[in-house]
Amino acid sequence: MINNNASSKINKRERQLLDLLQTGFSVSSRPYLTAAEEMNMTEDDVVEMVKNLRSKGVIRRIGGLFSARKLGFTSTLVALQVEKQWIEKVAHAICSYPGVTHCYERNHFFNLWFTLTSSDRNTEKKILTEIDALPGVEKLRNFPALKKFKLKVNFSFSEDSTD
Amino acid sequence: MKLDELDKRIIACLQGDLPLTKTPFADLAADLGITEKELLHKISVYLESDIMRRFGAVLHHQEAGFSANAMCCWVVPEELIEHTGKIMASFSEASHVFQRPCYPDWPYNLYTMIHARSRKILHSVVKQMSLQTGIDSYRLLFSKREFKKTSMKYF
């Protein structure tokens, strides 16, 4: 049975609460009271559990997830081929753009991948031209989405039976 | 939907972190200089118009126990994209499923982000995806290093 340290740090009640807070967060005056009633807990205990999950780094934030497109923004996925000795410098330069929300090193000749959200295609083009000109960048590939089949970033614990 | 200055101020708050109090929306509304009722109404409008995809907790997948995360890129014949994309989307382990352009040296046109509790499980999910779609040409790219992971600040 493979079980890593991170998942064993979260107990069953916490997993139930995480499921609830991800998909059924009550947008109302007392959201934690609503959660508490569903969990058969007190509101104080729920708030305490949320604080704890946040300080453990399990909860990144509680807030809204917005659609870039619906807000009039444009976003894309970009791959770079970067000379190995330049990868950290290039990564840090890329991460300094506020519109870069994700940046990962991956095991391929396209070894650096990032997502870029911009106010319009012209701004996007300008930023990509700047990145393409960074020392160490050998190739830049833009992969704008042609069609979205799914975008649902939440992690379900409900099929989890481990304690 | 046309966004006015108030909408932008509200979104600027909601894209961050909710105050951890028993009455977070009342507290946020006070900061914004509006009533709680107004704020709750605005949020329901954003949700209905799909400006906001959801409201709730956003997790760090590593800390939540999903330690294996990979991008799997597939070579799918154009006429099978629709069918294949829908099957891939039905996997709970897949958070993103997108069709993207391919290039001569990069034939992959369907992208899936997959999250699992171990690499072993992740490999078996990919195998299932391949079996169920009949697509056997793919490339699995694990993340070696995370340089940045954040939510977009629009306003």
Side-chain angles (χ1 to χ4, degrees), chain A residues 2 4 6-7 10 15 18 21-23 25-32 43-44 47 50-51 54 56-68 70-71 73 76-77 84 87-88 91-92 95-110 112-113 117-118 139 141-157 159-160, chain B residues 3 11 14-25 36 40 43 46-47 49-67 69-71 73 81-82 85-86 88-103 105-106 110-111 113 115 117-118 120 139-152 154-155:
Chain A
I2 295 156
N4 61 50
S7 70
I10 314 170
R15 279 181 218 151
L18 287 171
L21 297 181
Q22 284 183 96
T23 54
F25 194 96
S26 171
V27 180
S28 61
S29 290
R30 303 277 288 274
Y32 302 111
E43 187 184 24
D44 284 319
V47 170
V50 172
K51 277 185 182 158
R54 196 185 284 178
K56 280 200 280 193
V58 175
I59 295 178
R60 195 164 92 206
R61 67 183 184 94
I62 294 175
L65 279 157
F66 292 90
S67 158
K70 291 271 178 182
L71 287 174
F73 285 69
T76 190
L77 174 71
K84 226 178 168 153
I87 198 148
E88 285 182 12
H92 289 126
C95 293
S96 69
Y97 288 95
V100 170
T101 53
H102 297 69
C103 181
Y104 289 97
E105 182 183 2
R106 297 194 184 279
N107 52 336
H108 191 266
F109 68 79
F110 282 125
L112 203 58
W113 292 73
T117 302
S118 320
K139 198 184 265 186
R141 245 340 129 57
N142 191 7
F143 297 104
L146 300 176
K147 189 180 166 112
K148 175 177 95 179
F149 289 99
K150 186 181 190 179
L151 177 51
K152 187 170 183 276
V153 190
N154 53 41
F155 298 95
S156 173
F157 295 93
E159 289 154 28
D160 236 7
Chain B
L3 299 173
I11 292 169
L14 298 176
Q15 73 197 353
D17 203 357
L18 208 61
L20 227 176
T21 62
K22 287 181 184 173
T23 53
F25 297 108
E36 182 190 31
L40 293 175
I43 295 175
Y46 301 151
L47 284 168
S49 60
D50 289 331
I51 280 181
M52 194 190 277
R53 297 199 312 269
R54 72 172 172 92
F55 188 96
V58 182
L59 308 190
H60 264 132
H61 48 229
Q62 304 276 359
E63 281 76 2
F66 295 81
S67 57
N69 301 281
M71 182 172 80
C73 310
I81 277 275
E82 201 63 33
K86 280 182 186 149
M88 300 271 185
S90 72
F91 279 80
S92 63
E93 295 88 351
S95 61
H96 301 62
V97 181
F98 281 88
Q99 182 189 359
R100 299 183 185 277
C102 54
Y103 297 88
D105 64 343
W106 185 261
L110 194 67
Y111 286 64
M113 292 299 308
H115 313 275
R117 295 196 176 279
S118 70
K120 196 177 160 197
R139 176 93 206 199
L140 193 54
L141 299 177
F142 281 96
S143 44
K144 254 170 91 178
R145 229 183 324 176
E146 181 183 288
F147 287 107
K148 191 174 184 182
K149 183 173 171 55
T150 177
S151 297
M152 181 64 187
Y154 293 98
F155 304 114

